[in-house]
Amino acid sequence: MSNELLVMKFGGTSMGSADRIKIAAKLTAEQHATRPVAIIVSAMSKVTDLLLDTLKKAEASDSEGLEANLAALTARHLECAKDLLPADRQDAACRGIEALTAEFTRIARGMLLLRERPPKSVDEAIAIGERLSAFLLAEYFNSEGIAAQAVNAATVIATDAVFGNATPILDATRERAAKVLRPLLDKRVLPVVTGFNASTLDGRPTTLGRGGSDFSASIIAAVLDAAELWIWTDVDGIMSADPRLVKNARVLPEVTYAEAAELAYNGAKVLHPRTLAPLAERKIPVWSKNSFAPHVPGTRIVPVIETGLGPRAVTSMTGIAMVSIEPASAEISGTKVMAEAIEALSRSGVELMLITSSSYTQSFCFLIRQSELDRAQEFLQQSLALEIAHGYLKPILIDKEVGLLAVVGEGMRGTPGLAGRIFTAMSRQNINIVVIAQGSSELTIAVVVHRKDLELAVQSIHEECGMGRKD
Ligand code: ASP
Ligand code: MG
């Protein structure tokens, strides 16, 4: 038996039903037989959406909708327990599930009364999804004779107090993990830790942002000095392009931390963009694997790769909006407007995905998610109200008919002619480029195109750069 710890994370689809949970347990048991394992789980697929929707309904005084959602939440987990566990464990499991859904119900009904959704209470409430799935999986292990314990990550991961998108405090997390997780591992009890949630140093509940369970897993792998982290999803690994757009897209056997982070940031859904950061110091390798095809090796994510240069993958993203701001007269400083706009966005908490400016007209434009557009506009209109009222600024322009693609690869650093090839490939198809941006890392060239051109642009770049399968 090795004493090298393996941390594994199962995403929402890998936890999505009793059958899937059984497979997750089997994949875990295989490893647990040879070395210590800790696992991190997401909520069952779509459950976090359901929880968030329920809280919105509560705030909007929709008590009928609220009750219907609560019933669906309880039914989904009770049904899963019924399919998952032997008869003699059903009663206890039902009581466990009902206790957790009751916690959620209490918070949701409170919001209904207050007609308000305080961010801290939202974070406490939506962690119930992961607490339910961790509970079910731990119960299943125990029923199979494998000692396991569900652990609420609020007792393990310490964060700042940015509710909804908190950042971990690693030293404090290391201390908590030593107290909570080490004793379990030492006794060979398998910890089944909730992904996504955490708590502040003084114990207030937080979450790490949507899709944050990957991040939870890497934080826990880092503080426990794990030998490896395996992230189980429903795709074969990190791909050279979205296989729905590009037929010969291939799974990349290896990518670097930096490449994986850029790919995730620019729309590859396989990994949460913040996942790799906690692992850098200890250089812990990560595998992205498919629980629906466990025999496929997946993608190995490592700190450095010596060979294999060139652009490696092209991502694509929709659901974004381009916002353009342009001074109407030369009397106003474009730099000052830009500073005010960015300050407003920073206060709004909206993520700026890309920004470019041109010096002559002093206009600038930036890209954000459509889901955050209303909030961004509210803050921009507020802080630029005077300039707009006096006619110093042209009206703010919004274009939702855009798509983002990003060409990523370590080997792009200092490879001359590459940008030329990418743009030639697009121009051959008569694709008009709206905006280009290259990060200072030179790892990524990001291009905004019209939404209607996105698929073709991705296909032609993938082809031109020979990123796909060779067969
Ligand atoms: N359940 C959370 C979400 O859906 C976290 C995760 O799945 O990673 O965002
Ligand atoms: Mg997920």
Side-chain angles (χ1 to χ4, degrees):
M1 169 90 53
S2 145
N3 56 12
E4 301 258 272
L5 176 70
L6 170 65
V7 173
M8 300 215 275
K9 180 255 167 176
F10 292 95
T13 48
S14 302
M15 294 293 291
S17 66
D19 286 344
R20 299 307 316 166
I21 293 180
K22 286 181 189 173
I23 290 170
K26 180 171 157 279
L27 294 168
T28 306
E30 282 166 14
Q31 299 303 320
H32 187 61
T34 65
R35 51 176 156 173
V37 178
I39 60 183
I40 318 303
V41 295
S42 286
M44 295 178 82
S45 46
K46 307 262 161 40
V47 165
T48 309
D49 291 336
L50 177 70
L51 297 175
L52 284 165
D53 180 62
T54 310
L55 302 183
K56 277 202 192 122
K57 291 198 155 85
E59 184 183 37
S61 305
D62 174 3
S63 64
E64 243 171 66
L66 170 85
E67 296 304 326
N69 279 14
L70 291 173
L73 175 73
T74 310
R76 170 113 185 253
H77 291 88
L78 287 179
E79 195 180 308
C80 177
K82 199 165 115 260
D83 296 340
L84 190 64
L85 299 168
D88 61 335
R89 288 182 177 260
Q90 296 280 336
D91 277 355
C94 290
R95 266 179 274 125
I97 289 166
E98 275 158 4
L100 287 167
T101 53
E103 262 190 61
F104 180 78
T105 302
R106 177 183 54 78
I107 302 171
R109 293 212 179 116
M111 289 181 186
L112 185 77
L113 281 177
L114 294 171
R115 299 190 182 171
E116 201 179 17
R117 264 184 307 157
K120 183 177 76 135
S121 309
V122 170
D123 278 0
E124 180 175 4
I126 60 181
I128 295 290
E130 271 70 13
R131 289 174 62 197
L132 284 162
S133 64
F135 172 78
L136 281 169
L137 180 52
E139 288 293 297
Y140 180 64
F141 278 126
N142 288 324
S143 77
E144 291 283 292
I146 295 175
Q149 188 175 313
V151 177
N152 183 349
T155 65
V156 181
I157 299 179
T159 65
D160 63 14
V162 179
F163 300 103
N165 195 23
T167 296
I169 302 168
L170 288 183
D171 290 342
T173 304
R174 188 165 286 121
E175 281 173 29
R176 287 183 180 182
K179 279 199 204 107
V180 178
L181 299 179
R182 272 289 167 219
L184 295 175
L185 292 167
D186 290 346
K187 285 186 287 185
R188 269 195 70 68
V189 174
L190 196 119
V192 184
V193 186
T194 57
F196 190 38
N197 72 321
S199 72
T200 59
L201 291 172
D202 57 1
R204 287 170 293 158
T206 54
T207 58
L208 300 169
R210 289 309 305 272
S213 295
D214 292 342
F215 194 27
S216 307
S218 73
I219 295 165
I220 287 174
V223 300
L224 290 177
D225 293 321
E228 278 182 29
L229 167 62
W230 294 8
I231 295 185
W232 292 97
T233 66
D234 55 6
V235 291
D236 283 347
I238 298 182
M239 303 204 60
S240 59
D242 183 339
R244 287 168 305 182
L245 304 189
V246 179
K247 268 207 222 74
N248 72 334
R250 69 180 184 115
V251 176
L252 300 169
E254 259 193 343
V255 300
T256 64
Y257 281 3
E259 287 172 334
E262 287 285 338
L263 290 169
Y265 183 78
N266 287 291
K269 297 229 169 52
V270 63
L271 203 68
H272 188 275
R274 292 206 277 172
T275 309
L276 283 322
L279 305 172
E281 192 184 323
R282 282 156 218 262
K283 301 192 168 35
I284 300 170
V286 182
W287 283 90
S288 165
K289 284 174 171 287
N290 187 353
S291 79
F292 291 75
H295 51 279
V296 176
T299 301
R300 191 172 138 89
I301 310 168
V302 290
V304 275
I305 297 176
E306 301 300 338
T307 53
L309 299 181
R312 317 243 289 135
V314 49
T315 63
S316 43
M317 199 191 289
T318 55
I320 49 179
M322 183 89 172
V323 181
S324 307
I325 299 181
E326 189 175 337
S329 79
E331 279 143 57
I332 187 145
S333 147
T335 315
K336 193 167 155 279
V337 174
M338 203 192 285
E340 270 176 47
I342 291 177
E343 215 269 318
L345 288 171
S346 146
R347 270 186 289 118
S348 73
V350 168
E351 186 177 5
L352 207 57
M353 308 185 66
L354 176 156
I355 178 160
T356 65
S357 70
S358 88
S359 56
Y360 171 61
T361 62
Q362 304 234 322
S363 68
F364 65 99
C365 58
F366 53 84
L367 204 65
I368 57 176
R369 289 190 184 82
Q370 279 182 23
S371 58
E372 298 189 316
L373 186 58
D374 288 349
R375 191 171 166 81
Q377 270 183 296
E378 189 190 308
F379 277 75
L380 286 170
Q381 295 291 353
Q382 243 173 41
S383 88
L384 299 173
L386 268 182
E387 286 87 345
I388 294 172
H390 289 280
Y392 289 150
L393 280 187
K394 294 189 178 164
I396 297 176
L397 290 181
I398 312 279
D399 185 354
K400 293 197 222 171
E401 290 302 312
V402 291
L404 170 73
L405 67 86
V407 187
V408 176
E410 297 268 6
M412 298 187 15
R413 249 184 268 245
T415 308
L418 217 102
R421 271 172 65 200
I422 292 168
F423 301 134
T424 309
M426 282 193 277
S427 70
R428 241 186 261 128
Q429 308 289 345
N430 280 324
I431 293 169
N432 189 22
I433 293 170
V434 179
V435 163
I436 303 165
Q438 179 168 37
S440 49
S441 70
E442 279 193 48
L443 209 71
T444 300
I445 295 178
V447 184
V448 178
V449 295
H450 294 297
R451 175 67 191 84
K452 65 172 178 26
D453 295 332
L454 183 64
E455 280 82 359
L456 190 56
V458 168
Q459 287 155 357
S460 53
I461 292 170
H462 192 264
E463 181 67 35
E464 168 69 31
C465 298
M467 293 170 180
R469 281 193 314 272
K470 303 290 179 267
D471 51 61

